[in-house]
Amino acid sequence: MASHGIRDQVTIVGMGCTPFAEHFDRGVDDLLVEATTEALTGAGIERADADAWWLGTAQSGMSGIVLARALQLEGAPVTRVENMCATGSEALRAAAYAVASGAYDLAVAVGVEKVKDSGYQGLNAFPIPTDGTNRTLTAAAMFSMVLPAYAERYGVDPAHLRRVVARIASKNHANGAKNPKAQFRKEMSVDAICAMPAVAGELGVFDCAGVADGAATAVVCRAADAHRYTDDPLYVKALSLVAGNGSGLIDPAYDYTTFPEIAAAAADAYRQAGVTDPRRELALAEVHDCFTPTELVLMEDLGFSARGEAWVDCEKGLYDLDGELPVNPDGGLKSFGHPVGASGLRMMYEAWLQLRRQAPADRQVAAVDEGRSLALTHNLGGYPGEMVSFVGIVGTELGD
């Protein structure tokens, strides 16, 4: 796959994020205003200073009017984008490439979702099935197939593997417990997670990310202009998106132990950023842990662990907050929550805090102080066999 990327052409100069929670007392407008105000204030700009806006939302509006109304924008181009659970990352990617192209000097990407009081249970899928040909399995059911497939392929005792993925959830809950913006702020033991009622297959309630309301915002400009807005911008090193063609659903050889779209997006992002050893070059990674087995497979598809070894590395604590490569130091989807349109930008918000040493002391990853200056964010949408995958890399240093 040919991809020239936008390495160091674009910077993020301001970010904001609401708490992710059950915001029964707040609407879409409230969330958009809060996240965007934080981002614009951080960059020292007003709404009128932005040349263009991108709004990412899956279910909370059908056009850019949603954002224009909330922020009372006048005469501004506002584009609404959607790419399943990778919607927030899609908004950032669009804004960044618009700036890199020279079309705009200053652009803003905003992601939002408000679903907790929608009247639906969980996330409502579009299009709504009407003719009996659409998939009837839930997302939890689809991702639950990863566990038995992984156990069989790599010879791991299924009961042992069940506890390994529960440890992933426990790790993320421990991180989220330290985060005042996270939806779930309580530590959970492996035993407690394993004892939860079953949802699908071996997955219990706390193997699944929480559905939440929330918003997040990023302000981007050309690298040459970053000094106008902040002394410590994040330079965009890579933005990669891969959309699968759904062939995994009909391929009898598809075994659920790898997500090809993610491996392809990661390889492309590493080429763009010049990363050859991600586990040792990255300071942290924010990944799309919609279900605990997803994070397990991601460690291999993103090149952090060798094939068949992620379960061992997770058990050793390599991806803990104090491990070799902290993964989801803000709690991830599992603990922070998952408002579909905002999650990708929320991940970038954590990279923003961590790389600029603004995370709370009890959550600040040590690798940043040890000289690592890169962070990865990974966002996916869809299911095993038919998936879209985004991988972004940002850093604090301007490259050659």
Side-chain angles (χ1 to χ4, degrees):
M1 181 174 70
S3 180
H4 300 290
I6 58 172
R7 183 176 181 181
D8 295 327
Q9 297 178 47
V10 176
T11 56
I12 299 173
V13 293
M15 290 214 71
C17 185
T18 70
F20 284 10
E22 296 179 342
H23 289 298
F24 294 121
D25 59 339
R26 309 186 69 198
V28 173
D29 290 7
D30 300 308
L31 299 173
L32 289 172
V33 169
E34 179 179 342
T36 303
T37 299
E38 180 183 354
L40 298 185
T41 300
I45 62 174
E46 302 291 337
R47 299 172 192 177
D49 295 326
D51 299 313
W53 302 74
W54 274 264
L55 169 66
T57 186
Q59 296 174 215
S60 298
M62 293 301 293
S63 77
I65 293 174
V66 173
L67 183 62
R69 180 190 62 234
L71 301 184
Q72 289 298 288
L73 304 175
E74 294 186 8
V78 185
T79 304
R80 181 246 178 173
V81 297
E82 184 274 327
N83 215 343
M84 294 192 288
C85 295
T87 292
S89 295
E90 189 70 273
L92 176 63
R93 192 173 71 100
Y97 273 104
V99 168
S101 74
Y104 301 108
D105 296 325
L106 193 65
V108 183
V110 188
V112 69
E113 217 66 66
K114 182 76 178 69
V115 296
K116 290 305 293 184
D117 50 5
S118 66
Y120 291 98
Q121 180 180 7
L123 299 176
N124 187 29
F126 293 99
I128 297 171
T130 57
D131 62 359
T133 62
N134 289 26
R135 182 199 308 106
T136 57
L137 292 177
T138 65
M142 292 291 288
F143 281 95
S144 75
M145 298 183 193
V146 172
L147 279 178
Y150 192 98
E152 180 177 353
R153 178 167 182 177
Y154 296 115
V156 186
D157 177 67
H160 190 113
L161 189 61
R162 173 71 190 92
R163 293 188 65 82
V164 169
V165 295
R167 189 190 187 285
I168 290 173
S170 181
K171 165 185 72 76
N172 292 344
H173 274 279
N175 294 344
K178 301 178 177 67
N179 194 333
K181 293 190 175 186
Q183 181 180 22
F184 301 115
R185 299 196 58 207
K186 180 180 179 180
E187 294 191 20
M188 297 285 292
S189 70
V190 171
D191 287 338
I193 291 166
C194 288
M196 285 290 172
V199 173
E202 291 296 318
L203 300 188
V205 172
F206 274 79
D207 288 289
C208 311
V211 178
D213 302 327
T217 301
V219 180
V220 299
C221 71
R222 285 189 293 275
D225 298 331
H227 66 280
R228 300 180 184 179
Y229 309 105
T230 182
D231 293 330
D232 46 3
L234 291 189
Y235 296 92
V236 177
K237 305 293 183 180
L239 298 173
S240 180
L241 181 85
V242 170
N245 59 17
S247 61
L249 293 181
I250 58 175
D251 182 0
Y254 187 77
D255 68 357
Y256 289 84
T257 67
T258 179
F259 308 137
E261 300 91 342
I262 293 168
D268 179 40
Y270 296 148
R271 281 194 297 269
Q272 292 182 36
V275 170
T276 58
D277 189 352
R279 190 159 113 183
R280 291 168 178 80
E281 293 179 55
L282 299 172
L284 67 138
E286 282 288 318
V287 308
H288 198 100
D289 59 318
C290 48
F291 301 94
T292 51
T294 315
E295 183 168 326
L296 175 72
V297 170
L298 292 179
M299 297 303 94
E300 298 178 10
D301 283 339
L302 293 170
F304 303 160
S305 291
R307 292 292 175 190
E309 295 183 10
W311 69 278
V312 177
D313 292 340
C314 290
E315 204 168 34
K316 288 180 178 178
L318 267 63
Y319 305 120
D320 290 359
L321 190 60
D322 59 355
E324 182 178 345
L325 175 60
V327 171
N328 290 333
D330 67 352
L333 276 69
K334 179 76 240 7
S335 181
F336 207 121
H338 183 32
V340 171
S343 284
L345 283 160
R346 182 271 301 164
M347 296 174 184
M348 196 61 71
Y349 181 75
E350 179 66 6
W352 170 262
L353 293 178
Q354 291 284 356
L355 292 183
R356 298 165 82 247
R357 296 178 175 85
Q358 293 182 340
D362 61 351
R363 243 180 4 90
Q364 180 67 55
V365 298
V368 176
D369 292 325
E370 295 167 359
R372 298 194 204 180
S373 61
L374 297 175
L376 176 146
T377 66
H378 164 264
N379 206 193
L380 69 82
Y383 310 85
E386 57 169 356
M387 187 176 288
V388 298
S389 175
F390 167 88
V391 175
I393 299 174
V394 294
T396 57
E397 304 295 331
L398 182 63
D400 297 331

